[in-house]
Amino acid sequence: MSARTSPLELPPVTYSIIHAITIPVRCAPGAALVYALLDLVSAAVTPIGALVVGRFIDAAIASVSAGAPNSDVWRYLALVAAIAGYQWVRQALRTMADLRLTLALRERYRTALTLKRTRLAYRYVDDDATWDLIQRVAVDPEGGAIKAAYHHAIELVSFVIKVGGLLAILTSIVWWAGAAVVAISALTLTTGLRGGKRQYDAERRVAQFDKRVDYFSKVLLGRDAAEERALFGVTQVADRHWRVAFDTAMRDRIVTRVRWYASAYLGNLITQGAWIFVMIVLLRPLASGAVSTGLFIALTQAFTNLDIVWGFMQTVHGLSSDAEFFKDLTVFLSLGEARSAPACAMEGPPALGEIELRDLCFSYPGGDRPVISGLSYTFRPGRHYAIVGANGAGKTTLVRLLTGLYDPDSGSILVNGKPLDHYGSAQLSRFYSVVYQNFSRYQVSLGDNITLGDSFGPIEYALRAAGLSEVVERLPRGLDTPIGKLEEDGVDLSGGEWQRVAIARALARPAVVKILDEPTAALDPIAESELYDLFHRVTEETTTILISHRLGATRIADEILVLDEGRIVESGSHDELMRQAGLYSRMFESQRSWYEAST
Ligand code: ADP
């Protein structure tokens, strides 16, 4: 990849409005500079234009009195035409430079943001507050926010040049007039600053309601809830929630906008009044001849044409809102990443070996109690484990710690005697293969659902072990058949069949530790038991960890760990645990009827 197309380096530093200029310049130096130059020259042309137009009018008046046009008229007319021509060409060139900048930002800035996003540690994706921040920063990953900030920065400089020039002309005629206008503009500056911050804050607040609006729209209109909608008529409840969220978001937005418009219009009114005042002040020098008729007309026209207050406030308002965006960007880029690089250079994933948990403690960020507390255990290579326990006992959390999605608050996890952070995420993802409760249903072909684009040899045995052979035979194009509802010729699978696809995906991978975190909810207890039997038979050379709250399905495990409130309260084989007559045997007895048919 060449430097121009490689993702932009975005180190975790403090980002500010300066980066509104440096990021576009680094992405597309030529386009960014052309864009800025076109606008800055145009700004400088405004006061020069006023002088030229003034001279032209004066020359025209002189010609009328003389009865014939003098050469000045033609000279100034040519200049006026040149200025108009420049403004016209500028529009076209500016659009092209802007387009080039957009493309460069998309290529380099967006790629950098997306890369960062995919590398974020799982805990940030899982956490609501950081998830909202991620959404805000990446909501317009095409560089929209950066480009808007760049435009605002240039507008501000243009504004200073444009108004500064006009004020300089004014000051040369009436010395205090320029100062009076600056004083009035300072008032509108603070209003603009406050308005921009308020608006970004409102967007932050409103985001949580937008999230609800999105969710309830899906419930009301989406496919997932279609069955329940038909059966339970959830429409009323969802509609009520949708309306509340929508109204709240709308009200907040409207209130912020109305406040901003009210203060902006007030500022506009004050300054319009000031301009009229300045023009009245110019009447005296006009009468005395200190200012020519032409300059008086040109200045009056320039000032009234310029939406000085409104434009200025919009720019400052925009910049202040951009500054809030850069605060978000700073936090986003400083968020920790999943362990991407191993602590020491090493080839391949860890070999099949021991996984030792030493005195693990963990609470979720913001959680008020430990979910895992003082847990120690050693998983031996090649053995089959089951982790059982009531809902909320901490089973899934333990898997997240084991696989490195979360780091424990204290204690350690050793894989083959080395701490987990000794390995990179690429190594861990080849060491573990996990089927999660909420596994994904990829709307691609069955084959791609299993391999996910990786090539690791034949997958037939995984399909057989997951009980999918019949499904493959039934599908019109076998493994190449698209599954799901996306493709026209796609074949949708039942809930249980989708679960088997997820299990086959885990089985097909050469990972030496396979974890199944209750992916079998759509299967009946007996089918689940049969599937686990099969699973064990084909995973002889691997360590397996099954998680289930259905104890019958897990009794074939070599070792069963009973988890309660984040601790292992019992462990042993099914028979040993039954003999102990503790929590496990009580739970097993209460579920016995589920398996009566199979025993
Ligand atoms: P199990 O898998 O045994 O049902 P979990 O590990 O999913 O239990 O959850 C254990 C506890 O941690 C529960 O009280 C649950 O509410 C809490 N918990 C789970 N996931 C999160 C999360 N992402 N953020 C905060 N708390 C969580």
Side-chain angles (χ1 to χ4, degrees):
M1 235 188 280
S2 75
R4 291 205 66 157
T5 53
S6 59
L8 197 66
E9 293 255 338
L10 292 173
V13 297
T14 304
Y15 285 80
S16 67
I17 216 76
I18 297 290
H19 293 89
I21 297 168
T22 54
I23 292 178
V25 167
R26 279 166 59 208
C27 282
L33 291 178
V34 166
Y35 184 94
L37 262 179
L38 287 168
D39 271 18
L40 297 183
V41 169
S42 159
V45 156
T46 307
I48 298 170
L51 288 177
V52 171
V53 170
R55 296 277 168 89
F56 169 69
I57 296 173
D58 287 338
I61 292 172
S63 309
V64 173
S65 346
N70 61 31
S71 62
D72 278 355
V73 172
W74 301 118
R75 210 153 16 104
Y76 288 123
L77 189 61
L79 274 175
V80 170
I83 288 172
Y86 172 75
Q87 300 293 24
W88 185 73
V89 173
R90 177 186 78 112
Q91 278 304 341
L93 292 179
R94 190 174 181 266
T95 309
M96 273 157 60
D98 191 44
L99 191 64
R100 172 76 197 95
L101 190 60
T102 307
L103 291 176
L105 280 170
R106 183 178 297 170
E107 215 163 75
R108 303 201 57 208
Y109 168 79
R110 177 186 123 147
T111 323
L113 272 200
T114 312
L115 263 181
K116 172 77 192 177
R117 200 175 161 166
T118 54
R119 286 181 186 152
L120 282 181
Y122 175 77
R123 62 181 183 279
Y124 297 121
V125 179
D126 199 31
D127 184 77
D128 269 353
T130 36
W131 177 246
D132 286 349
L133 175 104
I134 297 166
Q135 296 292 89
R136 276 200 304 277
V137 170
V139 69
D140 188 1
E142 309 283 312
I146 296 285
K147 231 177 61 177
Y150 185 60
H151 290 177
H152 290 145
I154 291 170
E155 270 169 27
L156 186 71
V157 182
S158 303
F159 179 84
V160 170
I161 296 176
K162 215 188 281 188
V163 178
L166 287 176
L167 289 182
I169 301 173
L170 200 62
T171 307
S172 70
I173 305 164
V174 181
W175 65 269
W176 53 268
V181 176
V182 170
I184 292 161
S185 303
L187 271 180
T188 56
L189 176 79
T190 50
T191 320
L193 277 174
R194 258 186 287 139
K197 178 157 172 25
R198 238 187 252 139
Q199 190 155 334
Y200 200 86
D201 284 346
E203 288 301 330
R204 275 190 191 133
R205 274 196 311 273
V206 161
Q208 48 174 313
F209 294 105
D210 281 348
K211 221 165 40 181
R212 283 184 217 164
V213 168
D214 260 11
Y215 169 73
F216 287 112
S217 303
K218 273 193 204 123
V219 173
L220 281 170
L221 306 168
R223 190 180 239 174
D224 286 350
E227 287 161 352
E228 297 216 357
R229 255 200 327 264
L231 190 65
F232 297 131
V234 289
T235 320
Q236 266 188 6
V237 173
D239 189 52
R240 201 176 60 233
H241 284 292
W242 180 87
R243 213 161 277 285
V244 170
F246 185 80
D247 288 350
T248 317
M250 208 49 170
R251 216 174 305 127
D252 206 342
R253 272 204 185 100
I254 289 176
V255 167
T256 320
R257 280 258 138 192
V258 165
R259 274 164 118 188
W260 150 241
Y261 277 114
S263 53
Y265 273 111
L266 187 69
N268 215 349
L269 213 63
I270 296 171
T271 336
Q272 290 297 342
W275 285 128
I276 293 170
F277 176 70
V278 167
M279 289 309 145
I280 292 171
V281 165
L282 278 180
L283 283 177
R284 195 192 287 251
L286 178 68
S288 71
V291 58
S292 71
T293 314
L295 189 57
F296 180 81
I297 295 173
L299 270 183
T300 318
Q301 191 201 22
F303 278 129
T304 37
N305 270 356
L306 219 61
D307 54 346
I308 288 185
V309 178
W310 183 239
F312 183 53
M313 272 184 76
Q314 289 271 36
T315 307
V316 173
H317 177 266
L319 278 172
S320 129
S321 170
D322 300 334
E324 297 299 310
F325 167 80
F326 282 109
K327 281 186 200 160
D328 275 350
L329 186 66
T330 304
V331 179
F332 173 75
L333 292 172
S334 67
L335 292 179
E337 300 188 357
R339 49 177 71 77
S340 49
C344 75
M346 208 175 29
E347 296 277 310
L352 178 63
E354 269 184 10
I355 307 171
E356 189 186 348
L357 314 180
R358 278 194 198 156
D359 205 16
L360 285 188
C361 290
F362 177 77
S363 313
Y364 281 101
D368 51 357
R369 62 185 184 88
V371 175
I372 299 292
S373 42
L375 191 150
S376 298
Y377 192 78
T378 302
F379 294 96
R380 310 234 172 259
R383 285 177 66 80
H384 298 322
Y385 294 90
I387 304 179
V388 301
N391 276 335
K395 303 183 293 289
T396 298
T397 307
L398 183 58
V399 173
R400 288 179 177 158
L401 291 173
L402 261 181
T403 50
L405 287 182
Y406 274 99
D407 290 325
D409 300 334
S410 63
S412 52
I413 300 173
L414 306 175
V415 172
N416 294 347
K418 299 209 177 73
L420 204 60
D421 52 18
H422 179 84
Y423 304 100
S425 58
Q427 289 168 327
L428 287 182
S429 70
R430 279 185 289 156
F431 179 62
Y432 290 118
S433 165
V434 187
V435 187
Y436 296 99
Q437 281 175 35
N438 49 352
F439 54 84
S440 299
R441 300 163 185 225
Y442 300 104
Q443 310 283 303
V444 293
S445 73
L446 176 61
D448 285 346
N449 249 289
I450 310 287
T451 61
L452 295 181
D454 287 337
S455 51
F456 36 66
I459 58 170
E460 276 66 28
Y461 92 95
L463 291 165
R464 220 174 19 254
L468 279 172
S469 307
E470 281 173 27
V471 175
V472 180
E473 274 165 33
R474 196 184 74 211
L475 292 174
R477 280 156 54 199
L479 283 174
D480 294 331
T481 314
I483 53 177
K485 296 185 172 110
L486 193 64
E487 300 291 329
E488 223 170 88
D489 58 345
V491 178
D492 203 10
L493 303 182
S494 72
E497 285 164 345
W498 272 113
Q499 289 185 324
R500 289 175 193 275
V501 170
I503 291 168
R505 185 151 65 224
L507 280 175
R509 248 137 259 277
V512 288
V513 179
K514 296 203 159 63
I515 304 177
L516 259 59
D517 183 1
E518 288 202 79
T520 44
L523 300 180
D524 62 59
I526 294 166
E528 184 191 41
S529 257
E530 284 168 6
L531 190 70
Y532 283 176
D533 266 345
L534 264 169
F535 185 76
H536 274 164
R537 257 180 273 138
V538 297
T539 52
E540 292 282 280
E541 295 300 304
T542 56
T543 309
T544 63
I545 302 175
L546 303 180
I547 293 177
S548 180
H549 66 279
R550 291 173 181 163
L551 307 197
T554 58
R555 66 188 149 180
I556 42 164
D558 301 326
E559 194 91 21
I560 299 170
L561 317 182
V562 184
L563 213 61
D564 190 32
E565 299 193 349
R567 286 195 185 82
I568 297 176
V569 290
E570 290 171 19
S571 68
S573 67
H574 172 75
D575 293 339
E576 284 164 4
L577 291 177
M578 288 306 282
R579 276 198 297 278
Q580 278 184 25
L583 181 59
Y584 179 85
S585 81
R586 281 200 302 282
M587 287 166 79
F588 188 82
E589 288 304 331
S590 73
Q591 294 181 7
R592 186 183 281 280
S593 62
W594 298 355
Y595 302 92
E596 293 290 281
S598 67
T599 48

